Amino acid sequence: MSSQNDHSIPSSLVAFPIPRALLSDVVEEARVKVCLSGCLVRTEECPGSSDLVSPFPFALLPAPIPRDLFRRILEIQPLLNELYFKVANDFDFLRESLEGTVEVDDYIAKQWQILAKADKIGRTKIQLGLLRSDYMLDVSRGEDLSISQLEVNTVGASMAGNASSMAKIHRFIIGELGEASDSDKVPLNHACSGFAEAIHTAWKLYGNTEAIVLILIHSPDRIIFDQRLLSNELQELEPAMRIVRRTSAYVGKNGSLTEDGRLFVDNEEVAVCYYRTGFTPEQYNSEMDWKAKLLAELSTAAVCPSVGWQLAGTKRVQQELTRPGVLERFIQDPGNVALVRSTFTGLYSLDPGPEGDEAVSRAIANPEKFVLKPQREAGGQNIYGEDMRTLLRKISDERSRFTLMDRIPSRPTTMNYIIRSDQYSGDQPVECINEFGCYGSFVSHNGKIIRNKTDGHLVKTKPHDSDEVKIMSTKSGLNSPFLI
């Protein structure tokens, strides 16, 4: 390893500069391995065609993280799985948490209306949760390095397929550029197979082997191969399982419910309805999209995420969970409460009133210390700096659409190469910051927990001066952890 920066995180995992010829050879071999693993992306010019693809963007060197902090992330995930299960099924808590947001955010309001209708029917259902919690290393809490939670994704917890393939590739890279004995410090990743097992469990619980797994998609979609890796895992588990991909609008137009709540699409009964779309308002282009969501929620199919799980994943609920005493409503063990709470960072309500006024004043006075988050997932939605200050001065009547969060310092940084088809030059490394994610799956039936597991992990690496880490629209890349 190379030199250490603050808090014993190595500033690089290999000696710099890497000889140009060696770097070129390793990058080319790594790109080939990425393609062979199925980590592909459709081009920006032809997002609807699989004839033109390129390797999925990735960081050349894995991301260092202390082994104990990585283990803590994995240890916390089952607690979060069960926490969000309980939150998603606590109608009163969701109502209390979101009542201000519902008044000013049509996207959240429509979901709430669907939840209210489903709650009145009260069907006994299989519940399926596929989650990803995201963290950053944090140097702002004291002398010891810690982890701070960015968010919990209950919808759009993507990249499990791609992330699972990267570990072996980064083991190869470390063997070529560093010490071969260090390659096993990149942990193997079973996120994709874990998600497949959870979906398979829900499908079996439904009790009809003729029923389909319905994957709701939007089109075009550049990261279709990540989805297909998961589909392949499912079919290896259950070759007889039929997997159907449809848009929400198609389901809204062609779906129907029987009197006892069974969902049919094109005369095929649906056991599992899995969303790979619907996490932004732009993906609801017609009333047929919303009709599809209502049909799924009123049905007996396992819906992932259900509208309750999706609302539980809003930033406003995340903020409410940080309030004193709230976690104890859902987690009884004091040790587990402390473990989950140890990852929380500052989140502040912007509802009209003294509390919201104070938060707005602090953000306007010190915009560099905060980030403004809407009630959305999928990245690229947050607002920073002067843009945040300007917006907060304009939206006094609608500020409940957002939640204010402390900005986690972009340290410690490491040197890396981001390998992208649209920008890689092969000349200079970039100072980077890493986000660490953990995948978890949850299945319940009639309120009984059937599955609650940590399945795998994800690392996203971005230049340290970049606000966002949305891989498809920024200079970021997929990565793996390196345990130190």
Side-chain angles (χ1 to χ4, degrees):
M1 286 187 191
S2 184
S3 60
Q4 306 281 311
N5 61 24
D6 52 357
H7 298 273
S8 299
I9 295 294
S11 57
S12 65
L13 293 178
V14 300
F16 283 96
I18 301 172
R20 184 181 297 270
L22 175 61
L23 177 63
S24 178
D25 287 347
V26 172
V27 167
E28 179 58 26
E29 185 64 22
R31 286 167 61 89
V32 170
K33 289 182 180 294
V34 169
C35 291
L36 288 173
S37 72
C39 292
L40 300 168
V41 59
R42 290 171 169 173
T43 63
E44 189 172 0
E45 294 76 17
C46 299
S49 172
S50 296
D51 292 332
L52 294 174
V53 298
S54 60
F56 198 85
F58 66 99
L60 186 65
L61 302 173
I65 180 174
R67 189 180 298 268
D68 63 322
L69 293 184
F70 182 72
R71 286 176 176 168
R72 190 179 306 167
I73 289 172
L74 302 184
E75 180 185 0
I76 289 172
Q77 189 59 45
L79 301 177
L80 294 177
N81 295 344
E82 187 171 356
L83 169 64
Y84 277 81
F85 161 68
K86 292 178 178 177
V87 170
N89 289 278
D90 192 326
F91 186 86
D92 291 338
F93 178 75
L94 288 176
R95 184 185 64 240
E96 294 162 5
S97 299
L98 294 168
E99 58 184 356
T101 304
V102 166
E103 294 178 1
V104 295
D105 190 323
D106 289 342
Y107 174 65
I108 300 299
K110 286 186 175 181
Q111 292 183 64
W112 178 257
Q113 291 165 8
I114 291 173
L115 178 63
K117 291 179 181 179
D119 184 70
K120 286 183 179 179
I121 292 178
R123 295 194 193 278
T124 300
K125 295 182 64 173
I126 302 158
Q127 295 201 33
L128 170 64
L130 302 177
L131 301 86
R132 192 186 74 234
S133 52
D134 293 334
Y135 305 86
M136 284 180 64
L137 298 181
D138 194 344
V139 299
S140 66
R141 297 188 178 195
E143 294 183 2
D144 294 331
L145 190 65
S146 61
I147 52 172
S148 288
Q149 184 189 86
L150 295 169
E151 62 184 352
V152 176
N153 299 276
T154 59
V155 58
S158 61
M159 302 296 174
N162 288 343
S164 297
S165 302
M166 292 305 301
K168 292 181 180 179
I169 297 168
H170 281 114
R171 285 186 167 195
F172 159 77
I173 293 169
I174 286 296
E176 293 293 306
L177 297 179
E179 298 291 336
S181 60
D182 283 343
S183 62
D184 63 355
K185 294 179 182 177
V186 179
L188 295 177
N189 194 352
H190 305 290
C192 190
S193 60
F195 271 19
E197 289 170 5
I199 294 173
H200 182 246
T201 298
W203 177 80
K204 287 175 63 179
L205 285 169
Y206 188 79
N208 179 1
T209 57
E210 299 298 319
I212 65 172
V213 171
L214 175 66
I215 301 180
L216 291 173
I217 60 170
H218 56 266
S219 184
D221 191 341
R222 293 182 62 198
I223 61 170
I224 186 175
F225 295 96
D226 175 66
Q227 301 173 21
R228 294 293 185 150
L229 287 169
L230 177 57
S231 296
N232 287 349
E233 288 278 357
L234 269 172
Q235 290 176 324
E236 287 186 10
L237 279 174
E238 190 71 51
M241 177 189 293
R242 180 162 155 73
I243 301 172
V244 176
R245 298 166 58 85
R246 295 287 185 265
T247 65
S248 292
Y250 184 93
V251 173
K253 183 177 180 180
N254 298 282
S256 62
L257 291 177
T258 62
E259 289 187 4
D260 59 353
R262 289 176 294 147
L263 174 63
F264 282 80
V265 177
D266 292 336
N267 298 317
E268 293 191 281
E269 188 171 353
V270 178
V272 176
C273 184
Y274 173 42
Y275 281 87
R276 289 299 297 256
T277 187
F279 36 81
T280 67
E282 294 75 20
Q283 292 169 347
Y284 291 87
N285 296 311
S286 70
E287 284 306 311
M288 287 295 102
D289 293 302
W290 287 108
K291 181 182 176 183
K293 197 170 190 69
L294 179 61
L295 285 173
E297 290 299 320
L298 299 181
S299 78
T300 56
V303 182
C304 180
S306 71
V307 70
W309 282 79
Q310 185 163 355
L311 290 172
T314 59
K315 306 305 179 288
R316 181 54 189 268
V317 169
Q318 182 186 4
Q319 175 252 312
E320 288 296 320
L321 290 172
T322 66
R323 291 187 184 275
V326 174
L327 274 184
E328 288 82 353
R329 177 171 178 164
F330 303 103
I331 303 175
Q332 282 68 51
D333 184 275
N336 290 339
V337 169
L339 186 59
V340 172
R341 185 170 284 143
S342 70
T343 68
F344 288 170
T345 190
L347 288 141
Y348 312 99
S349 169
L350 297 182
D351 282 353
E355 181 183 2
D357 293 344
E358 180 184 359
V360 169
S361 296
R362 291 169 61 198
I364 290 175
N366 299 284
E368 73 284 355
K369 294 183 178 181
F370 301 95
V371 54
L372 193 62
K373 293 192 168 190
Q375 314 305 321
R376 307 288 186 266
E377 291 192 20
Q381 310 278 342
N382 300 330
I383 304 168
Y384 302 84
E386 286 302 318
D387 291 338
M388 177 181 65
R389 174 185 273 166
T390 299
L391 182 62
L392 286 175
R393 285 171 170 164
K394 289 181 178 179
I395 60 164
S396 58
D397 293 336
E398 296 186 358
R399 67 192 194 196
S400 294
R401 292 191 290 119
F402 300 89
T403 295
L404 189 68
M405 180 177 177
D406 286 340
R407 188 164 188 177
I408 302 168
S410 295
R411 293 182 292 123
T413 59
T414 55
M415 301 304 294
N416 214 327
Y417 296 87
I418 308 295
I419 313 302
R420 299 179 61 99
S421 296
D422 56 4
Q423 73 178 53
Y424 176 67
S425 66
D427 294 324
Q428 299 295 327
V430 179
E431 190 176 1
C432 291
I433 192 76
N434 305 296
E435 291 186 8
F436 297 87
C438 184
Y439 292 102
S441 60
F442 184 96
V443 180
S444 70
H445 189 207
N446 297 334
K448 179 182 178 181
I449 298 174
I450 306 299
R451 177 187 176 93
N452 182 14
K453 291 189 176 182
T454 296
D455 291 314
H457 51 267
L458 170 79
V459 182
K460 294 181 286 186
T461 296
K462 64 178 180 178
H464 80 286
D465 56 355
S466 175
D467 286 331
E468 292 288 348
V469 72
K470 188 175 184 181
I471 293 177
M472 298 312 301
S473 58
T474 66
K475 299 177 181 179
S476 308
L478 197 62
N479 208 342
S480 300
F482 183 91
L483 308 183
I484 59 174

